[in-house]
Amino acid sequence: MEQTLQNLPKHLIQRITSHATQWAKPQLDEALPSIGNPVWKMEKYLTICQSWRQSCLPLYSQEVSVTMDRQMQAIDQTHYWLPTIRSIMDCQAERFPRYAHMQVPFTAIVSGKLAQLLECEYPRAVFPRAEVIWLKLSKGPVDELQASRWGHNIREFVRVLRRLFPNVQLCSVSSMAVFSDEEHEVARHVGQLVAELVRVSTGVKYFAAGNHYLERTKLARCLGMTSITYAECAGAPVFMTLIRNNRRTLQHLNLVANTPELFAKLLVPIQSEPVEFPEMQRLSVVCTDPDYHRASAISTPGGVPFPKLEHLTMHQSYYPFANDALFRGNHSRSLTFMSIELQLDDTMLLREQGVLAAGKFARLAHMELSINLRNQYVDKQQAASIARIPWEIAPRIRHVQVEVPGFAFKDIFLESLSRATVAAQIEFLQIDHVALTIEDVVR
């Protein structure tokens, strides 16, 4: 190899290989877990020379996988997509993994086989920098399980995980396992596993399409959580209680709900006292039913629910409150990112509440605004009110995306932008559903 290529700085080698292999850092904010990076793309760079090997090892070993066959007889020693515990140990790269992917049958956990295999095959393996565990559960054979040992085996599995990954902060559990009525007790122990994992971490992500039972677990009693992601499926009341019980420490909340009302329930007063999340910095609320109709009774939370909110995403069919609760106390001091979907009536309500007043969001730099007109008639006065929202409310705006399906007043949009004092500082502008000509853009 050319001497100059051998002597390239470490950070430059990593940028070259990251670009060539399309390497990416896992997105922790996503509700569903990442599938990881294709390790086979990085392997060839480990063989170029010693300097490239040392530079690429941290990327190659960024994620570690543990997979098991459905017969639960052995842990796979090779993996097409991610490096295994064995391959990382062979490279002496145990200090590099930050994320652990585990794809195993749930019955391998409750039977005790997985913990036993991990202890026997990797008795000295430790990954001290791993912070995130993605646990993807399949069902596996249920026959001949000793029910009396299930709880003990789950605790033993969590103990082994803590030995392998002593500094884990976030546990993500996803499962598609569906159990029959006769397997009710097995399904209930999925809830116990989630509770045990939450107890030893400060963050949890939960997505399950199976029939799991969380009600009879101690999950809601776990305190000190800083991050929770919940995709509504099973155990909604338990997770709502968990979120509310951790309201004083939560910093990140990602809620994927079937209906907008689920988010509103978070702010229902506790013993007549307003519910507040004093440390919340990132809040994401997504409703999977975009056509869900507005409830007849809309809540009016008191207090200051999110005083330190910096990053807000709310994608659901309507604004769930009858007041300015979501923006109270954070609009001028902390909010820098906002991606929000509204109905036409919501914009009128928020204007009445003073949320969309001029200069209201003093630090907001990134705004994504979608307004669903729902085939409502919009006159020119209403159109002008909509068109000036992004550049009127945020004096420091830099990134603007606007989507108003059915909006027919292009000239009003252009006129409001041309008059805006912030027009010169906007670095990114995207206006969907409004056909602009080259002359419009240049103007």
Side-chain angles (χ1 to χ4, degrees):
M1 171 179 279
E2 292 289 341
Q3 190 68 23
T4 52
L5 291 179
Q6 288 185 354
N7 296 330
L8 284 176
K10 177 179 178 179
H11 73 277
L12 188 55
I13 293 175
Q14 291 181 342
R15 290 191 65 178
I16 292 172
T17 54
S18 295
H19 180 74
T21 60
Q22 299 180 324
W23 214 255
K25 183 179 180 180
Q27 298 298 313
L28 302 184
D29 292 333
E30 295 178 355
L32 293 177
S34 166
I35 61 172
N37 286 294
V39 69
W40 53 269
K41 289 186 177 182
M42 187 64 69
E43 285 178 337
K44 58 185 176 182
Y45 295 100
L46 299 179
T47 62
I48 292 178
C49 68
Q50 186 63 25
S51 63
W52 278 63
R53 178 181 178 83
Q54 294 302 319
S55 298
C56 294
L57 262 181
L59 295 177
Y60 170 81
S61 307
Q62 176 180 264
E63 300 168 80
V64 59
S65 72
V66 176
T67 58
M68 197 176 190
D69 58 20
R70 290 185 61 85
Q71 287 70 38
M72 305 186 305
Q73 299 301 315
I75 295 175
D76 295 335
Q77 300 300 330
T78 59
H79 193 286
Y80 175 73
W81 200 262
L82 296 172
T84 63
I85 292 179
R86 177 61 60 200
S87 61
I88 289 180
M89 293 180 68
D90 289 344
C91 294
Q92 297 182 341
E94 293 94 325
R95 64 190 184 279
F96 294 126
R98 303 289 301 276
Y99 315 96
H101 293 257
M102 305 189 73
Q103 302 183 56
V104 297
F106 176 66
T107 46
I109 297 175
V110 295
S111 67
K113 289 185 179 180
L114 181 56
Q116 183 179 8
L117 286 171
L118 288 171
E119 286 287 69
C120 291
E121 297 186 21
Y122 311 112
R124 298 184 179 181
V126 178
F127 302 93
R129 297 184 61 196
E131 299 176 353
V132 180
I133 295 176
W134 278 294
L135 181 60
K136 306 174 188 179
L137 300 174
S138 56
K139 183 178 177 181
V142 180
D143 299 336
E144 300 182 3
L145 290 178
Q146 298 181 14
S148 61
R149 300 283 295 174
W150 290 352
H152 168 80
N153 291 337
I154 286 174
R155 290 189 292 273
E156 181 65 12
F157 169 71
V158 173
R159 184 194 66 79
V160 174
L161 282 190
R162 289 293 289 170
R163 179 184 64 76
L164 289 169
F165 313 107
N167 296 309
V168 66
Q169 299 296 315
L170 174 65
C171 291
S172 173
V173 181
S174 61
S175 172
M176 301 295 174
V178 177
F179 299 92
S180 66
D181 293 340
E182 292 76 20
E183 298 165 348
H184 177 275
E185 281 300 306
V186 184
R188 185 177 66 82
H189 278 76
V190 175
Q192 181 182 347
L193 173 62
V194 175
E196 291 291 335
L197 290 172
V198 169
R199 189 175 58 83
V200 298
S201 64
T202 58
V204 63
K205 296 172 63 178
Y206 179 68
F207 175 85
N211 53 338
H212 308 147
Y213 303 92
L214 306 177
E215 286 73 13
R216 292 170 58 187
T217 69
K218 298 179 181 179
L219 176 61
R221 303 181 192 175
C222 297
L223 300 178
M225 307 292 292
T226 60
S227 173
I228 295 178
T229 294
Y230 174 64
E232 186 178 7
C233 41
V238 176
F239 261 86
M240 291 301 100
T241 303
L242 176 68
I243 294 170
R244 284 159 66 88
N245 286 350
N246 285 274
R247 62 189 180 277
R248 294 182 178 86
T249 57
L250 266 183
Q251 298 175 13
H252 300 165
L253 176 60
N254 187 356
L255 187 64
V256 182
N258 295 332
T259 67
E261 278 87 355
L262 192 67
F263 175 48
K265 291 176 181 178
L266 284 182
L267 301 186
V268 172
I270 298 177
Q271 297 179 350
S272 301
E273 292 294 324
V275 173
E276 298 182 355
F277 295 78
E279 302 300 324
M280 185 74 74
Q281 298 172 14
R282 298 175 66 92
L283 174 63
S284 175
V285 182
V286 177
C287 177
T288 56
D289 184 356
D291 298 319
Y292 195 87
H293 295 293
R294 190 184 301 270
S296 57
I298 302 178
S299 62
T300 55
V304 184
F306 308 105
K308 294 184 179 180
L309 197 61
E310 299 175 3
H311 193 288
L312 170 64
T313 300
M314 191 185 73
H315 294 172
Q316 55 183 38
S317 53
Y318 61 83
Y319 180 71
F321 307 115
N323 58 18
D324 63 341
L326 190 58
F327 306 97
R328 197 176 298 150
N330 59 49
H331 50 77
S332 62
R333 294 182 299 179
S334 61
L335 201 60
T336 60
F337 176 101
M338 178 164 57
S339 177
I340 189 169
E341 294 181 2
L342 301 171
Q343 292 186 22
L344 180 61
D345 294 343
D346 296 327
T347 64
M348 303 300 114
L349 167 68
L350 293 178
R351 281 209 179 275
E352 293 174 1
Q353 294 290 326
V355 173
L356 301 181
K360 189 74 170 181
F361 297 87
R363 299 188 60 201
L364 188 64
H366 184 121
M367 183 175 191
E368 300 171 7
L369 175 65
S370 176
I371 300 177
N372 192 338
L373 300 180
R374 292 184 176 270
N375 297 320
Q376 291 178 276
Y377 173 74
V378 178
D379 58 31
K380 287 190 175 182
Q381 183 178 357
Q382 291 174 316
S385 176
I386 292 173
R388 65 174 184 264
I389 289 176
W391 20 87
E392 182 179 64
I393 67 174
R396 296 185 181 180
I397 197 72
R398 294 285 188 275
H399 182 116
V400 179
Q401 292 178 241
V402 181
E403 180 181 13
V404 189
F407 192 84
F409 299 94
K410 179 181 74 172
D411 292 340
I412 292 178
F413 243 129
L414 295 175
E415 182 181 358
S416 68
L417 178 58
S418 64
R419 292 183 179 182
T421 58
V422 301
Q425 70 189 31
I426 293 178
E427 300 171 356
F428 180 92
L429 175 63
Q430 178 177 323
I431 305 177
D432 293 332
H433 302 284
V434 176
L436 300 178
T437 65
I438 294 296
E439 291 76 12
D440 293 332
V441 174
V442 173
R443 187 178 69 177

